[in-house]
Amino acid sequence: MALSPQFLDELKHRFTLSDVIGRQVKLVRHGREHMGLCPFHNEKSPSFTVNDQKGFYHCFGCGAHGSVIDFVMGTQGLEFLEAIERLAEEAGMEMPRQTPEQIERDKKRGTLSEVMDAVAHWYQAQLKGQVGRAAYDYVKGRGLKDATIDRFGLGYAPGGLSGGSRTALKDAMRARGIPEDQLIDTGMLIKPEGGGESYDRFRNRVMFPITDRQGRVIAFGGRALDKDAKAKYLNSPETSIFHKGATLYNWANARAAAYDCGQVMVVEGYMDVIALAQYGIDYAVAPLGTALTEEQISHLWQMADEPILSFDGDKAGVRAATRAMERALPMLKPGKSLRFVFMPEGDDPDTLVQREGRKAVEKLIDAAEPLVNVLWKTLTEGHSIDTPERRAGLEKNIFMKLSEIEDENVKKLYQGEFRNRLYELFRPAKRGGGQGGQRTFTPGGRRDPRKVPPTGLLAQTSIGRGRGGGAVTERMEKTIVLTLVHHPEILIKHEETVAHLHFSVPGLDGIIAALLEKAALGHTLDMEGVLTHLNDKGLLDTFERIKQERALRDEWFAWADAALSDALTGFEHIVQRFQHITEARRDYERAEAEYAEEMTDENHARFVAAQAAYRALEEKEADKEGYRLESGRFSFN
């Protein structure tokens, strides 16, 4: 079976090579490549490299080299077509049927690429001739050098609204032996539906060739020179070789540049891309007049782990950034995200780089905001948080949005990050801040915790030892989780409270996140449904291990056979105690850090007082829980 180069190229592009090879070979990131022990011969030191950008692997020991198809063939003992079928099934691609019609279509696609190449050269010649003088003056007036014009293959399509031939391209191509039907198939000619002669799609426009990722011309964008033109920019229509939502302007050039520098930047228009390249920023691409699609985002992630998206700093730019963020959010995966740059007011990359040079743009790139910060700002800015109901509403909206993230690990980490930020955002209200007026969130309104090295003094206390808060708080944490899973209806009243709890026992934060997610989605809160949800999330084993701990049997209100009213009372009581002791712990840690940073008498006195208060509280809680202090550790009576 003969398969078209286009099909094979698309199949390879659907996979990240290191992901496929990483299923069988332990790979370690080494610069822009991955390295590991070669699966094709025995070796003790790694000589096997994987390059995702170029889509091939190579072993410097045995010389093995190839694509994802070669790897599957070589490691799974499959024939070529068997490997293709397996990969196509995994990628969700339908194997092409080698009918006479399909063979003819594949042949036609190759012919159409040749047609587009001929058209591109003809447009370039027109720009340099007398007929294209106005177009040439326009691009020169935009600050482009001749070398840049040639590099990007800019051209000119003659004709126009005010006169001139409607068939200049058609006539020139027919004189070269290119038939009319092929020009129609490429979208270069328009054939009226009601009949009549075909005519050139692009007339009196500066022409920008659009290539595929291999650099083959597949379409054009045209910038109108007629002031009365209905569309300032016009792109080729969808054809058998051009799909707008799956293509990026300057794709081939940016792929090569991204391999060298490890980053790619998305800008709005053709001129932005070209101006940046003229000043040495070669890794810019642009969507084709529409918002970024999921497929384009996937292409970007094959060039860089965190593509940089550039937008205008006005409201329209913020809306465009929000659309891109919403498209990308469900697709986030470990190591793959986005960063955002907002241009100064009144500027775009073209005007900025031509006025202030490359360093001005690179300065913005270096300060690009990660997606997590832009998402937080989008979800919180302008929201009133002066009442419990408004805070609960904001919190619910945030976790509803985070539920769209499909990768469970990334979702869990986002939920933890935003829970911390909400705690910082809401904390002033709990301490009396903002009373007497309506509080709203504004950028910079979240207080950053001080980053100072701890002295280790906290570890001298019984609860301070170990990974988390010690036996007392760990038992509290497990009891709280046990109660919520057995009586999830408690979340109806205490969802906001639960969202602010942070646990030290591994796995408990994940269970809390799953409970909040189920509540945020509006699902019925019952024990069976929660247990099913935990099982789906891979968290049921963690919960079952908690249930097996004999020390928790005495917490009768936390078990399934307790009445809901008793469970609610017990939950409220233990949460209040847990918040009290964790707040005392935070005060102690804060005083410790401040004393470590500046050892003044005032800071020492504050540290000693906080230490004494915390130790008194931990001993009190230990007595309540039936623990006794023995050799510096808690043990159960």
Side-chain angles (χ1 to χ4, degrees), residues 566-578:
D566 292 333
L568 180 60
T569 300
F571 171 82
E572 291 173 342
H573 181 62
I574 197 168
V575 165
Q576 184 180 42
R577 290 164 51 206
F578 179 71

Side-chain angles (χ1 to χ4, degrees), residues 341-530:
V341 164
F342 293 94
M343 289 287 126
E345 186 175 354
D347 267 323
D348 54 32
D350 178 11
T351 58
L352 181 62
V353 76
Q354 298 217 43
R355 187 181 69 250
E356 299 185 23
R358 174 177 176 172
K359 289 186 178 179
V361 177
E362 290 181 334
K363 183 178 180 181
L364 290 175
I365 291 172
D366 291 340
E369 285 281 337
L371 186 149
V372 63
N373 287 353
V374 179
L375 179 61
W376 169 258
K377 179 179 178 180
T378 301
L379 294 175
T380 57
E381 188 170 20
H383 285 269
S384 298
I385 55 171
D386 59 330
T387 67
E389 294 85 358
R390 287 172 175 169
R391 291 195 291 275
L394 173 61
E395 189 169 7
K396 184 172 183 178
N397 290 341
I398 286 174
F399 284 97
M400 280 285 288
K401 177 57 67 175
L402 296 184
S403 69
E404 297 176 9
I405 302 174
E406 294 178 0
D407 185 277
E408 291 300 325
N409 190 39
V410 175
K411 183 194 298 183
K412 176 183 174 182
L413 292 173
Y414 261 81
Q415 289 169 335
E417 171 68 18
F418 277 37
R419 195 173 292 116
N420 291 337
R421 295 190 183 202
L422 283 170
Y423 174 79
E424 292 293 332
L425 177 62
F426 292 164
R427 189 159 59 164
K430 293 185 175 183
R431 294 185 172 182
Q435 292 183 6
Q438 188 179 63
R439 294 195 306 118
T440 58
F441 174 78
T442 56
R446 185 172 68 89
R447 184 179 61 83
D448 291 325
R450 299 183 64 180
K451 294 184 174 76
V452 288
T455 64
L457 293 171
L458 180 62
Q460 297 172 12
T461 68
S462 53
I463 292 181
R465 292 189 179 91
R467 177 185 181 278
V472 168
T473 51
E474 286 183 5
R475 175 166 168 167
M476 288 181 176
E477 292 173 5
K478 293 172 183 177
T479 301
I480 290 169
V481 169
L482 198 66
T483 308
L484 287 172
V485 173
H486 285 147
H487 303 278
E489 302 92 336
I490 291 173
L491 284 172
I492 297 173
K493 181 178 180 181
H494 290 293
E495 184 179 352
E496 182 181 1
T497 299
V498 172
H500 294 151
L501 299 177
H502 302 285
F503 296 151
S504 60
V505 177
L508 297 194
D509 274 338
I511 293 176
I512 290 296
L515 288 169
L516 291 170
E517 178 185 34
K518 190 168 180 64
L521 292 172
H523 294 170
T524 301
L525 292 172
D526 60 81
M527 185 178 71
E528 294 303 321
V530 164

Side-chain angles (χ1 to χ4, degrees), residues 475-476 573 577 617 619-627:
R475 175 166 168 167
M476 288 181 176
H573 181 62
R577 290 164 51 206
L617 185 59
E619 291 175 6
K620 178 181 177 182
E621 287 297 335
D623 290 340
K624 283 184 181 179
E625 296 290 347
Y627 285 75

Side-chain angles (χ1 to χ4, degrees), residues 207-459:
M207 300 302 292
F208 300 84
I210 298 169
T211 69
D212 62 13
R213 55 179 168 263
Q214 277 74 44
R216 299 171 297 210
V217 178
I218 56 175
F220 288 91
R223 201 281 187 193
L225 295 177
D226 285 317
K227 294 181 180 179
D228 297 328
K230 292 182 179 179
K232 182 178 179 180
Y233 279 96
L234 179 66
N235 288 326
S236 291
E238 297 275 318
T239 68
S240 61
I241 60 173
F242 173 57
H243 303 290
K244 184 186 299 185
T247 307
L248 293 162
Y249 181 68
N250 196 41
W251 195 354
N253 294 332
R255 283 180 73 202
Y259 172 71
D260 292 330
C261 70
Q263 63 185 8
V264 61
M265 182 178 186
V266 182
V267 294
E268 184 178 355
Y270 306 133
M271 288 301 300
D272 294 321
V273 169
I274 297 171
L276 290 172
Q278 183 167 274
Y279 281 81
I281 300 176
D282 298 315
Y283 47 83
V285 297
L288 304 176
T290 61
L292 276 176
T293 66
E294 287 85 352
E295 192 165 358
Q296 287 169 333
I297 293 171
S298 295
H299 294 327
L300 292 168
W301 276 338
Q302 293 202 341
M303 290 187 272
D305 289 339
E306 294 186 355
I308 301 158
L309 274 53
S310 170
F311 298 97
D312 294 342
D314 57 14
K315 290 182 180 179
V318 173
R319 287 195 298 270
T322 301
R323 288 195 297 270
M325 189 166 50
E326 289 178 344
R327 286 279 176 88
L329 195 63
M331 304 170 62
L332 297 179
K333 59 185 71 172
K336 301 293 184 182
S337 188
L338 300 173
R339 291 190 292 154
F340 294 80
V341 164
F342 293 94
M343 289 287 126
E345 186 175 354
D347 267 323
D348 54 32
D350 178 11
T351 58
L352 181 62
V353 76
Q354 298 217 43
R355 187 181 69 250
E356 299 185 23
R358 174 177 176 172
K359 289 186 178 179
V361 177
E362 290 181 334
K363 183 178 180 181
L364 290 175
I365 291 172
D366 291 340
E369 285 281 337
L371 186 149
V372 63
N373 287 353
V374 179
L375 179 61
W376 169 258
K377 179 179 178 180
T378 301
L379 294 175
T380 57
E381 188 170 20
H383 285 269
S384 298
I385 55 171
D386 59 330
T387 67
E389 294 85 358
R390 287 172 175 169
R391 291 195 291 275
L394 173 61
E395 189 169 7
K396 184 172 183 178
N397 290 341
I398 286 174
F399 284 97
M400 280 285 288
K401 177 57 67 175
L402 296 184
S403 69
E404 297 176 9
I405 302 174
E406 294 178 0
D407 185 277
E408 291 300 325
N409 190 39
V410 175
K411 183 194 298 183
K412 176 183 174 182
L413 292 173
Y414 261 81
Q415 289 169 335
E417 171 68 18
F418 277 37
R419 195 173 292 116
N420 291 337
R421 295 190 183 202
L422 283 170
Y423 174 79
E424 292 293 332
L425 177 62
F426 292 164
R427 189 159 59 164
K430 293 185 175 183
R431 294 185 172 182
Q435 292 183 6
Q438 188 179 63
R439 294 195 306 118
T440 58
F441 174 78
T442 56
R446 185 172 68 89
R447 184 179 61 83
D448 291 325
R450 299 183 64 180
K451 294 184 174 76
V452 288
T455 64
L457 293 171
L458 180 62

